[in-house]
Amino acid sequence: QKEVEQNSGPLSVPEGAIASLNCTYSDRVSQSFFWYRQYSGKSPELIMSIYSNGDKEDGRFTAQLNKASQYVSLLIRDSQPSDSATYLCAVKNYGNNRLAFGKGNQVVVIP
Amino acid sequence: DTEVTQTPKHLVMGMTNKKSLKCEQHMGHRAMYWYKQKAKKPPELMFVYSYEKLSINESVPSRFSPECPNSSLLNLHLHALQPEDSALYLCASSLRLAGGLPHYEQYFGPGTRLTVT
């Protein structure tokens, strides 16, 4: 089992709709969870961090964490064409400073 | 300010060349990283420095040699690279203390696009 899994294929959403991305992780003691946005040819940009169970909202982004089920999700409300990018889920390993990344999900927002 | 800077932005080098990539952060972070990223793949960790000491080497070939001169600077020395080493090389930093607690948000620099000919 991979450390961090993002299984969904490319996601196409109409402008103004909600984009939903999911991520599961295997290390039960992981404590820190992150979502990065990466535009083509650019470096990853941190958009959300979450440490506790529940929801965390920042603008149009909401991160949800469920440690019992070992998943973390990202919702993008009122999706805009500028949200078209690859979204990477990352989980910090316990005991070191290493991040484990999922393979990423491409989101395409259709005007 | 969450800025990590990297130079150069682009680098083309031959297989016999020696070159260096440079990275700098002024966020007071205590951990710095080198990643390699190929197209349509997630970043692949190469090295981690924690408190200026090498803490993780992900079995990287010796033609890549990291150096951390101080807490703000990170270098990656390149020698005798292969064409398959062509990739985007990313530097990142993390680990700050706030209110006595560690925070692990990791911020990436813009990257160096390396082409080995």
Side-chain angles (χ1 to χ4, degrees):
Chain A
Q1 183 184 8
K2 292 184 179 179
E3 289 183 82
V4 179
E5 294 205 50
Q6 295 179 254
N7 287 330
S8 300
L11 179 65
S12 293
V13 295
E15 184 175 355
I18 295 175
S20 177
L21 302 170
N22 295 313
C23 170
T24 59
Y25 59 95
S26 60
D27 188 349
R28 183 169 291 278
V29 298
S30 297
Q31 297 178 319
S32 307
F33 308 86
F34 308 96
W35 284 98
Y36 288 84
R37 176 177 64 197
Q38 187 171 24
Y39 294 114
S40 180
K42 302 294 186 181
S43 64
E45 175 191 7
L46 179 65
I47 56 172
M48 289 292 283
S49 60
I50 186 165
Y51 299 90
S52 304
N53 278 328
D55 295 359
K56 179 182 178 182
E57 187 174 314
D58 185 358
R60 296 184 295 108
F61 298 104
T62 298
Q64 299 173 318
L65 175 61
N66 184 322
K67 291 187 177 181
S69 300
Q70 294 177 238
Y71 83 78
V72 58
S73 63
L74 179 71
L75 300 177
I76 308 173
R77 293 183 303 281
D78 188 23
S79 295
Q80 301 297 308
S82 60
D83 296 325
S84 298
T86 295
Y87 290 80
L88 295 160
C89 174
V91 177
K92 179 191 169 302
N93 287 358
Y94 179 77
N96 61 49
N97 292 320
R98 178 178 175 271
L99 284 186
F101 284 89
K103 65 180 182 180
N105 282 128
Q106 185 182 8
V107 172
V108 178
V109 180
I110 303 168
Chain B
D1 183 12
T2 56
E3 187 177 30
V4 177
T5 59
Q6 288 186 247
T7 56
K9 292 183 179 179
H10 301 275
L11 179 62
V12 179
M13 60 186 291
M15 290 189 285
T16 59
N17 291 158
K18 287 185 179 181
K19 296 286 185 183
S20 296
L21 309 184
K22 298 185 182 299
C23 174
E24 189 168 7
Q25 59 89 13
H26 292 289
M27 295 177 278
H29 286 172
R30 307 310 298 186
M32 296 186 76
Y33 309 74
W34 281 115
Y35 289 88
K36 172 183 177 180
Q37 188 176 28
K38 294 277 200 177
K40 300 189 183 301
K41 297 289 187 182
E44 177 184 344
L45 183 65
M46 300 174 72
F47 303 103
V48 181
Y49 275 83
S50 296
Y51 293 90
E52 303 170 43
K53 294 191 184 303
L54 183 64
S55 60
I56 297 176
N57 176 343
E58 294 282 26
S59 301
V60 179
S62 60
R63 57 185 184 269
F64 295 92
S65 175
E67 177 194 18
C68 187
N70 60 52
S71 60
S72 299
L73 294 174
L74 188 65
N75 299 322
L76 185 64
H77 303 297
L78 313 172
H79 173 56
L81 294 191
Q82 303 298 309
E84 59 265 29
D85 296 322
S86 298
L88 180 66
Y89 286 83
L90 297 162
C91 174
S93 70
S94 76
L95 187 53
R96 63 180 174 92
L97 295 177
L101 296 175
H103 293 257
Y104 298 103
E105 290 87 358
Q106 191 169 127
Y107 296 94
F108 285 85
T112 293
R113 177 73 59 187
L114 174 66
T115 302
V116 182
T117 61

